[in-house]
Amino acid sequence: QKAREDFAQGEKRLAEKAEQIPALENVVSGFQLKKGSRERRAAQLSVRIQEATIALADVRNRIKMLRELEREYEGFHKAVRLVMRESASGSLRGIHGPVSTLMRVDERYVAATETVLGAAMQNIVTDDEETARRAIGLLKSRDAGRATFLPLTAIRGGRLSERGLENQPGFIGILSDIVVYEERYRAIFQSLLGRTVLVETIDDAIAVARTYAHRFRIVTLDGQVVNAGGSMTGGSLNRSAGILSRANELAK
């Protein structure tokens, strides 16, 4: 009798478990679907990791090349490179560096700034006139060419002030206010950029120039210039070799 009772209970439990089997099989199927989906996702991510690894290597190589170009002052005149090498070695003190290395410019304003500064980007900022005199003597003794020096004790800059200028069409700002630099270089950058207005387009530049009787220089975002006095300079720009562009690319 006891064995029969045990047998009946066993059959009852067996029936209950048999009823659970389909539900559990569904659970297993669900996990298998998730597993398949995650394996496919893992395979996709593996491909992306390989692609990202290749891209990272490319970026690292580009950074290495740009740093090398900056370290060697590639794109600068021979005279500038010599002065900066002598400064780095400690044999020529009081050299702050070329103007282009002492400023930061938002990428949107690089074309305008490079156009306005032109060769002045390679002007070398020094502590004082005596430092500039020693550097000029070095260049002369080495027959290494010429460079322009900007002594902090001698340069005086001024910022343009014209009534209603900020309300003119396309007005963005005074270029010396737009570039970023240390406060000690304010006179340097105001002397170079303090009387240059940045506007959106060449039409805006012409309109502003007419309003203010061509009293100051105006530059557009794409590097077209209406000079003080009325002459205009423009056309296409070589964007591949810009010193400021290189610094921005390296930062990015």
Side-chain angles (χ1 to χ4, degrees):
Q1 181 65 32
K2 180 67 170 60
R4 288 190 185 99
E5 290 175 355
D6 290 344
F7 182 75
Q9 290 176 358
E11 283 193 320
K12 181 179 178 182
R13 288 199 299 273
L14 184 61
E16 290 172 351
K17 298 301 181 185
E19 289 176 357
Q20 294 175 7
I21 287 174
L24 293 173
E25 286 177 337
N26 287 337
V27 172
V28 170
S29 295
F31 280 116
Q32 286 175 335
L33 287 173
K34 286 184 178 179
K35 179 173 178 285
S37 174
R38 290 179 181 181
E39 285 175 340
R40 289 190 296 275
R41 177 63 173 160
Q44 293 170 353
L45 290 174
S46 179
V47 171
R48 289 182 60 187
I49 287 171
Q50 292 175 4
E51 293 172 346
T53 301
I54 293 171
L56 179 59
D58 289 342
V59 169
R60 282 176 171 160
N61 288 336
R62 181 67 176 164
I63 288 172
K64 182 179 179 181
M65 186 192 74
L66 289 171
R67 282 180 175 160
E68 185 69 21
L69 291 174
E70 288 216 321
R71 186 164 53 251
E72 296 299 322
Y73 288 91
E74 186 66 30
F76 287 84
H77 299 319
K78 175 184 175 182
V80 177
R81 293 201 301 271
L82 174 63
V83 169
M84 295 314 300
R85 279 199 300 268
E86 294 297 316
S87 174
S89 70
S91 61
L92 189 60
R93 300 184 182 278
I95 302 293
H96 292 251
V99 165
S100 63
T101 65
L102 304 178
M103 61 191 291
R104 296 195 311 277
V105 187
D106 186 280
E107 194 167 350
R108 186 178 179 221
Y109 310 128
V110 164
T113 306
E114 284 187 342
T115 300
V116 169
L117 285 176
M121 282 195 295
Q122 302 197 32
N123 292 357
I124 300 172
V125 177
T126 65
D127 276 345
D128 49 34
E129 294 99 317
E130 177 59 25
T131 304
R133 187 192 65 78
R134 291 199 306 270
I136 290 171
L138 172 70
L139 293 175
K140 187 176 179 181
S141 67
R142 300 278 186 89
D143 194 23
R146 299 165 68 84
T148 298
F149 296 90
L150 306 176
L152 287 173
T153 52
I155 300 298
R156 296 291 177 265
R159 181 185 179 280
L160 182 69
S161 178
E162 292 280 359
R163 187 185 300 275
L165 185 58
E166 65 277 5
N167 299 321
Q168 293 300 307
F171 176 83
I172 296 173
I174 307 295
L175 208 49
S176 62
D177 296 342
I178 290 171
V179 301
V180 179
Y181 48 83
E182 293 182 27
E183 178 61 29
R184 57 180 168 164
Y185 301 129
R186 178 172 296 278
I188 298 291
F189 286 100
Q190 285 193 345
S191 72
L192 294 170
L193 304 173
R195 293 190 58 80
T196 301
V197 173
L198 179 62
V199 298
E200 295 276 353
T201 68
I202 188 66
D203 291 337
D204 296 330
I206 292 170
V208 173
R210 285 173 176 168
T211 300
Y212 291 91
H214 301 91
R215 287 197 295 271
F216 48 83
R217 180 171 51 183
I218 306 168
V219 64
T220 67
L221 286 174
D222 62 350
Q224 316 308 320
V225 181
V226 177
N227 299 291
S231 64
M232 298 173 66
T233 306
S236 63
L237 295 173
N238 177 10
R239 304 300 305 128
S240 60
I243 294 170
L244 295 182
S245 303
R246 185 171 69 203
N248 274 13
E249 183 184 354
L250 181 54
K252 184 186 295 184

